[in-house]
Amino acid sequence: GESVGLHLPTLSVQEGDNSIINCAYSNSASDYFIWYKQESGKGPQFIIDIRSNMDKRQGQRVTVLLNKTVKHLSLQIAATQPGDSAVYFCAENYSGNTPLVFGKGTRLSVIA
Amino acid sequence: EAQVTQNPRYLITVTGKKLTVTCSQNMNHEYMSWYRQDPGLGLRQIYYSMNVEVTDKGDVPEGYKVSRKEKRNFPLILESPSPNQTSLYFCASSLSHSGGEFFGPGTRLTVL
């Protein structure tokens, strides 16, 4: 498999439990945030996004929470499944004129 | 099928031998970009393009060139590759620079 997961913080979760992956972002002017999932040997895959005028957004089994006061973003995965095992990245963007800035990532391991 | 394609997927080359990694998207996206991914450093942007004939440097542009002659293609050129350019490269595209990006499958480059 790919070596991109080395040196990453790891979260181990029992299958069926809920997972919470956290991300601290750096730019207080950022107004758009995305969570990506990267499985071994594949490119990052878009999961869910949120704009700064919201503090919560829900998708299928996933919820993103945004706390602008402390510049914190979290991804909650309900009923975690083995297929959720991957590296998860947050990304931020200021819609004025800057490209996405990615976090270092968190490896999620689901224990069957 | 909407996708971003990259070629080659794997490449082993020697120092100084010019190479090009192609990237193509079929979603009529205006924004395209190149990233490299290294253990412990996450995804770092090399170059991006807002539209045809509009390109700009990302965070780590040294040693790379790009061109955007057509909307669908965004090749990455290494004029004189060096071992420190050994990495996993991803091309991505999106409707705009402030939106979620679709990533290609990656190109694993090794420079000896």
Side-chain angles (χ1 to χ4, degrees):
Chain A
E2 300 298 345
S3 61
V4 296
L6 291 178
H7 315 302
L8 291 178
T10 299
L11 174 66
S12 296
V13 176
Q14 203 72 33
E15 181 179 358
D17 287 351
N18 296 335
S19 303
I20 300 176
I21 301 171
N22 296 305
C23 178
Y25 63 92
S26 55
N27 186 355
S28 56
S30 292
D31 56 5
Y32 180 62
F33 306 88
I34 308 173
W35 279 101
Y36 284 91
K37 173 186 180 183
Q38 186 175 21
E39 297 175 271
S40 181
K42 297 183 179 180
Q45 177 187 8
F46 175 94
I47 303 173
I48 191 168
D49 60 359
I50 188 169
R51 298 208 176 265
S52 58
N53 60 352
M54 302 172 70
D55 52 22
K56 180 179 180 179
R57 189 159 188 231
Q58 289 183 291
Q60 187 178 17
R61 277 201 312 118
V62 294
T63 301
V64 56
L65 298 177
L66 174 63
N67 185 331
K68 295 181 285 295
T69 303
V70 294
K71 294 190 287 185
H72 184 267
L73 192 68
S74 70
L75 177 71
Q76 299 178 3
I77 304 173
T80 312
Q81 303 168 0
D84 295 326
S85 292
V87 176
Y88 289 82
F89 295 94
C90 65
E92 63 183 284
N93 171 264
Y94 167 56
S95 58
N97 200 26
T98 58
L100 286 174
V101 174
F102 285 81
K104 296 290 189 289
T106 297
R107 175 176 294 284
L108 175 66
S109 292
V110 181
I111 305 164
Chain B
E1 180 189 354
Q3 59 184 350
V4 178
T5 56
Q6 298 177 224
N7 281 291
R9 295 289 316 279
Y10 301 91
L11 179 61
I12 300 174
T13 189
V14 294
T15 298
K17 186 176 181 181
K18 181 179 178 180
L19 67 92
T20 299
V21 184
T22 64
C23 173
S24 182
Q25 51 93 5
N26 62 359
M27 295 168 280
N28 202 35
H29 285 168
E30 290 189 348
Y31 183 82
M32 296 185 74
S33 60
W34 275 102
Y35 294 87
R36 60 179 288 173
Q37 188 174 40
D38 303 287
L41 298 175
L43 282 156
R44 294 179 294 168
Q45 192 179 59
I46 302 170
Y47 267 94
Y48 63 96
S49 170
M50 296 282 199
N51 212 327
V52 175
E53 301 291 1
V54 181
T55 63
D56 212 339
K57 295 177 180 179
D59 297 321
V60 288
E62 294 77 22
Y64 304 95
K65 285 174 57 178
V66 292
S67 69
R68 189 88 182 276
K69 293 185 171 59
E70 310 163 275
K71 200 170 189 179
R72 64 183 295 128
N73 296 322
F74 190 46
L76 179 70
I77 303 154
L78 283 72
E79 294 272 6
S80 183
S82 61
N84 64 12
Q85 292 179 297
T86 292
S87 186
L88 180 59
Y89 291 87
F90 288 102
C91 180
S93 73
S94 61
L95 280 172
S96 72
H97 72 280
S98 59
E101 295 185 72
F102 288 85
F103 282 79
T107 295
R108 168 67 69 183
L109 173 65
T110 301
V111 183
L112 302 174

